[in-house]
Amino acid sequence: MSAIVEGELKNKTLHLLVKTPRLNAASAREFKSGCQHLLQPGVEFVVIDFRNVDSVDSSGVGALLSLYKYLPRETGQVTLLHVKPPVQSVVELLRLHRILQIQS
């Protein structure tokens, strides 16, 4: 079990909860490792609860993109839930809202 992320697989959807206030260079590696441990073949959707995340940097964005790239190209989707304004600003600035679904 990761100190940064916990998750549960339901059918083709992996539900994740990020447990750190910063998804940055210090935490992104553990986030990515925790996600890879939880991902299984056949997963098409990832729903990530960001309620605890106050900030994200380029390393955190890279970790999110690696998760997205793991999913099937045609049907894969990553949804971010409970996104705080500073995190949403970064995602929109990088135009990632085009590939990541955001629900504030």
Side-chain angles (χ1 to χ4, degrees):
M1 182 69 67
S2 169
I4 300 291
V5 64
E6 64 182 41
E8 179 181 15
L9 184 61
K10 294 180 184 175
N11 298 321
K12 296 180 178 186
T13 303
L14 178 60
H15 296 268
L16 299 172
L17 171 65
V18 182
K19 301 187 292 183
T20 183
R22 293 178 197 88
L23 193 53
N24 57 18
S27 61
R29 176 176 277 159
E30 186 176 343
F31 171 80
K32 204 169 161 182
S33 174
C35 291
Q36 288 173 345
H37 178 73
L38 294 164
L39 281 169
Q40 297 178 9
V43 170
E44 292 185 19
F45 309 102
V46 178
V47 177
I48 308 172
D49 188 332
F50 257 62
R51 76 180 66 230
N52 299 317
V53 181
D54 297 322
S55 66
V56 63
D57 73 1
S58 60
S59 297
V61 168
L64 290 173
L65 288 175
S66 71
L67 197 61
Y68 174 77
K69 289 178 181 177
Y70 176 86
L71 301 175
R73 186 175 205 159
E74 307 299 319
T75 59
Q77 182 177 330
V78 175
T79 302
L80 308 179
L81 301 177
H82 311 293
V83 179
K84 295 179 181 177
V87 175
Q88 185 165 346
S89 294
V90 170
V91 171
E92 289 177 354
L93 178 69
L94 297 172
R95 299 181 189 258
L96 295 176
H97 59 286
R98 294 178 179 180
I99 60 170
L100 304 175
Q101 305 297 313
I102 299 176
Q103 296 179 11
S104 300

